[in-house]
């Protein structure tokens, strides 16, 4: 009798632990979605609706927050063990990644000045296409033919969405494509540059070293391309102090995008992450349309849907051909 009670209590404890683990994972995914979509929408609001037309300075604020909060999370809170930079060559590789990362984020923020979030996300969904192209060019790594076939609807969908986008802006579109290509390039470069066992860094430590370098790269660009932005921001704050709160909250949210992405990756499978990532883009589109009320066309939505279907097929083809 006692043996049965012990085994039943153990089963109950295991079930409770499993339930709390599922709740924790659901909470992580919700935080990941909220931070990702939140920073995207707030960037759009600041750069387009609010009229704060300084995407490079905004990106520099993001990187400054990532520098500080990364150090707090790793050195003080010990969320992950700190990994040291082992050589000057490794630091140069990290700097190269940081430069590409800066280009991606700045271009993405510039595109949000001119394009609605829904179209921005449609173009961003073509990341697998650029990743496959750069991987082929830089590593001569060939995928199975079916994997390349699945990229056809990815690109076709964006072409259709572009033709049916009521708020299409050529410069914004070019910036958005550039941001997507740079994001893919960073992924491929990271795999090449930090591929040896001694140089591999987890995403939290990589951000810890990349973010301060990004600030140093963005500072001269901000000074020369967005003249007197600090003075303008101070003048804006005197009229409406909320701009400071917006910038602080937005910058912290940019860090939490990276933190929650790391935690979701750690606590779910790669396949789950891919599925969640595809769904996240669709959620962002719906939420942005509800908030900003930007006009959408049936053609545009069909194009975006085709792109998402292509991305799902691409992910499935990659998984089957590993």
């Amino acid at each position: 009798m006692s043996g049965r009670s012990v085994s039943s209590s153990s089963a109950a404890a295991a079930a409770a632990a499993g339930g709390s683990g599922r709740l924790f994972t659901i909470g992580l995914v919700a935080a990941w979605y909220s931070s990702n979509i939140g920073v995207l929408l707030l960037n759009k609001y600041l750069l387009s609706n609010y009229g704060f037309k300084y995407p490079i300075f905004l990106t520099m604020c993001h990187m400054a927050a990532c520098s500080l909060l990364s150090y707090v999370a790793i050195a003080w809170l010990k969320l992950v063990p700190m990994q040291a930079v082992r050589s000057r060559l490794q630091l140069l590789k990290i700097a190269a990644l940081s430069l590409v990362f800066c280009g991606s984020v700045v271009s993405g923020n510039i595109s949000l000045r001119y394009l609605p979030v829904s179209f921005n996300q449609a173009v961003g969904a073509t990341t697998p296409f650029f990743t496959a192209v750069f991987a082929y060019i830089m590593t001569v790594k060939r995928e199975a033919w079916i994997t390349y076939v699945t990229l056809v609807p990815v690109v076709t969908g964006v072409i259709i969405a572009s033709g049916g986008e009521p708020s299409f802006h050529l410069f914004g579109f070019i910036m958005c494509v550039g941001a997507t290509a740079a994001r893919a390039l960073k992924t491929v470069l990271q795999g090449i540059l930090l591929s040896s066992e001694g140089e591999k860094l987890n995403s939290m430590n990589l951000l810890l070293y990349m973010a301060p370098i990004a600030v140093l790269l963005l500072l001269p660009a901000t000074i020369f391309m967005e003249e007197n932005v600090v003075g303008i921001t101070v003048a804006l704050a005197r009229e409406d102090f909320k701009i400071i709160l917006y910038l602080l909250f937005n910058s912290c949210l940019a860090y939490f995008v990276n933190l929650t992405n790391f935690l979701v990756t750690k606590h779910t499978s790669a396949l789950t992450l891919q599925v969640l990532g595809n769904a996240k883009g669709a959620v962002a589109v719906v939420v942005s349309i509800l908030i900003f009320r930007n006009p959408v066309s049936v053609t545009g939505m069909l194009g975006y849907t085709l792109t998402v279907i292509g991305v799902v097929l691409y992910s499935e083809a990659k998984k089957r051909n590993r």
Side-chain angles (χ1 to χ4, degrees):
M1 185 75 176
S2 61
R4 285 182 183 176
S5 63
V6 169
S7 62
S8 61
S9 61
S10 298
S20 63
R22 276 193 296 273
L23 282 174
F24 177 72
T25 303
I26 291 168
L28 271 182
V29 171
W32 183 48
Y33 267 48
S34 302
S35 58
N36 266 275
I37 296 170
V39 78
L40 186 67
L41 297 179
L42 194 49
N43 283 349
K44 174 64 179 175
Y45 174 74
L46 285 170
L47 294 165
S48 185
N49 297 61
Y50 189 86
F52 187 79
K53 299 176 181 179
Y54 305 102
I56 303 175
F57 178 72
L58 183 63
T59 306
M60 193 175 75
C61 291
H62 289 180
M63 293 300 102
C66 287
S67 300
L68 177 63
L69 294 174
S70 290
Y71 185 79
V72 170
I74 296 173
W76 291 1
L77 300 179
K78 311 286 186 188
L79 289 184
V80 293
M82 183 169 290
Q83 296 172 289
V85 174
R86 296 176 180 234
S87 65
R88 184 178 297 177
L89 180 60
Q90 187 184 12
L91 184 61
L92 286 173
K93 291 176 179 180
I94 293 169
L97 288 174
S98 187
L99 180 62
V100 176
F101 181 58
C102 283
S104 169
V105 179
V106 170
S107 300
N109 284 340
I110 291 172
S111 75
L112 284 172
R113 277 189 61 190
Y114 302 99
L115 299 177
V117 173
S118 52
F119 187 53
N120 178 281
Q121 288 295 285
V123 177
T126 61
T127 302
F129 168 77
F130 289 103
T131 304
V133 170
F134 286 129
Y136 181 78
I137 293 171
M138 300 174 76
T139 66
V140 200
K141 179 186 174 186
R142 295 187 181 183
E143 303 285 353
W145 67 269
I146 190 67
T147 306
Y148 292 114
V149 169
T150 60
L151 292 172
V152 174
V154 172
V155 177
T156 305
V158 168
I159 293 170
I160 293 170
S162 302
E165 175 53 51
S167 307
F168 183 83
H169 189 284
L170 182 59
F171 179 69
F173 176 71
I174 292 169
M175 286 292 102
C176 198
V177 171
T180 306
R183 190 160 54 243
L185 179 60
K186 177 191 167 286
T187 301
V188 176
L189 278 176
Q190 188 173 327
I192 297 169
L193 297 180
L194 302 178
S195 58
S196 67
E197 205 56 46
E199 290 187 330
K200 281 182 181 174
L201 297 171
N202 63 49
S203 60
M204 295 294 290
N205 274 274
L206 184 59
L207 183 66
L208 173 68
Y209 296 116
M210 277 176 51
I213 296 171
V215 173
L216 293 175
L217 291 170
L218 291 168
L219 184 58
T222 303
I223 292 168
F224 288 110
M225 299 175 71
E226 297 179 343
E227 193 176 347
N228 196 31
V229 64
V230 175
I232 293 167
T233 305
V234 171
L236 275 173
R238 285 176 183 152
E239 294 176 17
D240 182 11
F241 188 74
K242 283 189 290 187
I243 183 63
I244 301 298
L245 299 179
Y246 286 146
L247 288 173
L248 284 172
F249 179 65
N250 192 28
S251 299
C252 291
L253 208 54
Y255 171 72
F256 282 106
V257 168
N258 293 282
L259 175 63
T260 53
N261 186 71
F262 172 78
L263 293 173
V264 169
T265 305
K266 184 178 176 182
H267 289 277
T268 65
S269 67
L271 177 61
T272 303
L273 192 69
Q274 284 177 346
V275 173
L276 291 171
N278 294 336
K280 176 170 61 66
V283 173
V285 167
V286 173
V287 173
S288 70
I289 291 170
L290 291 173
I291 291 176
F292 295 112
R293 308 281 181 183
N294 56 281
V296 291
S297 66
V298 174
T299 306
M301 292 312 294
L302 284 173
Y304 178 66
T305 303
L306 181 60
T307 295
V308 172
I309 290 170
V311 171
V312 171
L313 292 173
Y314 173 81
S315 302
E316 188 64 24
K318 286 271 287 182
K319 185 185 75 170
R320 287 174 181 270
N321 289 289
R322 269 177 192 161

